[in-house]
Amino acid sequence: MTYDKVRWGIIGCGDVTERKSGPAFQKVEYSELVAVMRRTGKLAKDYADRHGVPKWYDDADELINDQEVDAVYIATPPGSHMEYTLKAAAAGKPVYVEKPMARNFKECTEMLAACKSAGVPLYVAYYRRGQERFLKIKELLDQNSIGDVRFVSSTQYQKARDDVMDCDHLPWRVQPDVAGGGLFFDLASHTLDILDFLLGPIQEAKGFASNQAGYYEAEDIVTATYRFASGVQGVGKWCFTAFEDVDRNEIVGSRGKISFSTFGDDPVTLKTAEGQEQWSFERPMHVHQPLVETIVKELTGGGGECPSTGDSGARTNWVMDSIVGK
């Protein structure tokens, strides 16, 4: 089905929707945010009033079955992604679901099957696939700027944040029954997904995951090795209780390397025998907006396809499951 305008409903209008995603649905051409839902009705009403959204609900089923809602954005923690995706698919509505796509690969396969059976598209909010910064890296790779790609190395470590040290009020991101795991699932998923976008699918992955600091039960350190279908090899290291914050990726080839961060705004750097070049990019005000634009264009027949689908999102869950030994 092709839409003249995509009328969106959001399930779970929490912090991520305040600036990162929510306003994008209003600002993209041929897109409109018409309804929001939050379990606490007064908070849903407050969000709707502040953002100029005409409808609000405290029941997800009511939003999903609203005839004026064409597509559903699921912005809840991963523990409810499958439930709401299956309901939206049953209602015949396209789904845009937050990352990671689900708590594990098995849930992803059920989401894919439901959407395929219903004939509705499924998109995943790995929004970096739509941003200029990462499109530039892909362009450099496509132009063979570093020759044949040999390997990629990713390193992310950071200080333990105050919220994860409060054992009586732990955030959902370190509760495996809600998040699927710990901060590795929440943060490293962005890196693993963008590597899939840049270098193709990972075919084999292995790793070690453990908890060293004891602030919570989920893993707080992960090391991994992986092999892409293309033959490129990769290593990754993630630690969430270190002494400083580091975020660094290097794609090394036969004639040069590309360096960049997943979360930072530092320049993309290309280094070859001829010298070094850098490109800087301004972070979008609403980081989801470039990806949402691709979704709306696809749904309205405006040309192009969204680069972050249920298939690609599920691959990232499969890689993470393989690394931590699920």
Side-chain angles (χ1 to χ4, degrees):
M1 180 177 180
T2 302
Y3 301 87
D4 293 328
K5 174 184 279 190
V6 183
R7 299 172 298 178
W8 291 92
I10 296 178
I11 296 176
C13 47
D15 289 345
V16 71
T17 68
E18 289 288 348
R19 181 180 175 89
K20 287 185 174 182
S21 60
F25 298 103
Q26 301 281 44
K27 293 190 174 184
V28 171
E29 190 175 16
Y30 306 118
S31 173
E32 182 181 3
L33 179 59
V34 299
V36 295
M37 173 270 168
R38 198 166 182 174
R39 286 178 297 178
T40 303
K42 68 178 182 180
L43 295 179
K45 181 181 184 302
D46 173 69
Y47 185 98
D49 290 344
R50 288 186 292 105
H51 291 273
V53 182
K55 294 183 181 183
W56 61 270
Y57 295 100
D58 59 8
D59 184 292
D61 291 344
E62 291 185 22
L63 180 143
I64 289 169
N65 292 297
D66 185 330
Q67 295 303 305
E68 294 184 355
V69 171
D70 299 318
V72 178
Y73 167 42
I74 301 168
T76 61
S80 55
H81 287 182
M82 183 177 73
E83 174 192 354
Y84 292 139
T85 295
L86 267 54
K87 288 183 175 181
K93 299 187 177 182
V95 178
Y96 179 49
V97 64
E98 264 301 333
K99 46 59 56 188
M101 182 173 160
R103 290 176 294 187
N104 52 60
F105 179 64
K106 182 178 183 297
E107 289 185 347
C108 293
T109 61
E110 293 188 41
M111 294 161 69
L112 286 167
C115 290
K116 182 177 181 179
S117 177
V120 298
L122 174 58
Y123 311 103
V124 183
Y126 284 114
Y127 52 80
R128 284 171 173 78
R129 288 178 178 241
Q131 293 181 351
E132 284 185 300
R133 174 184 180 84
F134 298 95
L135 293 175
K136 179 61 180 181
I137 299 169
K138 188 164 181 61
E139 177 187 282
L140 291 172
L141 292 169
D142 290 345
Q143 292 174 344
N144 205 35
S145 298
I146 61 171
D148 297 326
V149 178
R150 302 304 191 202
F151 68 90
V152 58
S153 173
S154 298
T155 300
Q156 182 187 1
Y157 53 91
Q158 64 183 43
K159 301 173 186 176
R161 305 302 192 237
D162 290 341
D163 60 347
V164 305
M165 292 187 282
D166 182 357
C167 61
D168 294 323
H169 303 91
L170 289 174
W172 64 261
R173 290 175 174 82
V174 295
Q175 298 180 37
D177 58 330
V178 179
L183 294 174
F184 173 74
F185 280 76
D186 185 44
L187 299 176
S189 58
H190 276 292
T191 297
L192 293 169
D193 177 80
I194 206 64
L195 294 182
D196 178 287
F197 176 65
L198 296 172
L199 302 172
I202 291 174
Q203 190 173 64
E204 184 178 5
K206 301 177 182 179
F208 295 95
S210 61
N211 184 293
Q212 294 179 326
Y215 297 130
Y216 44 83
E217 292 185 6
E219 78 290 334
D220 62 13
I221 185 168
V222 176
T223 57
T225 59
Y226 23 88
R227 181 170 57 83
F228 295 78
S230 63
V232 172
Q233 296 189 19
V235 295
K237 306 176 289 294
W238 295 269
C239 178
F240 303 101
T241 59
F243 78 105
E244 65 175 347
D245 296 348
V246 170
D247 173 14
R248 181 174 60 248
N249 303 290
E250 289 187 344
I251 302 176
V252 177
S254 58
R255 295 194 294 106
K257 72 175 181 179
I258 301 170
S259 304
F260 62 98
S261 65
T262 303
F263 300 96
D265 295 321
D266 50 307
V268 172
T269 301
L270 169 66
K271 184 177 181 180
T272 66
E274 287 73 41
Q276 181 172 292
E277 293 184 76
Q278 292 187 328
W279 296 266
S280 295
F281 300 89
E282 184 176 349
R283 188 190 299 259
M285 179 180 297
H286 311 296
V287 292
H288 283 240
Q289 187 166 336
L291 189 68
V292 171
E293 288 177 355
T294 69
I295 295 172
V296 172
K297 285 182 179 179
E298 182 175 327
L299 293 177
T300 58
E305 295 181 352
C306 175
S308 185
T309 66
D311 287 326
S312 61
R315 290 198 299 266
T316 293
N317 267 92
W318 176 84
V319 171
M320 292 191 295
D321 285 3
S322 299
I323 290 171
V324 302
K326 281 193 176 183

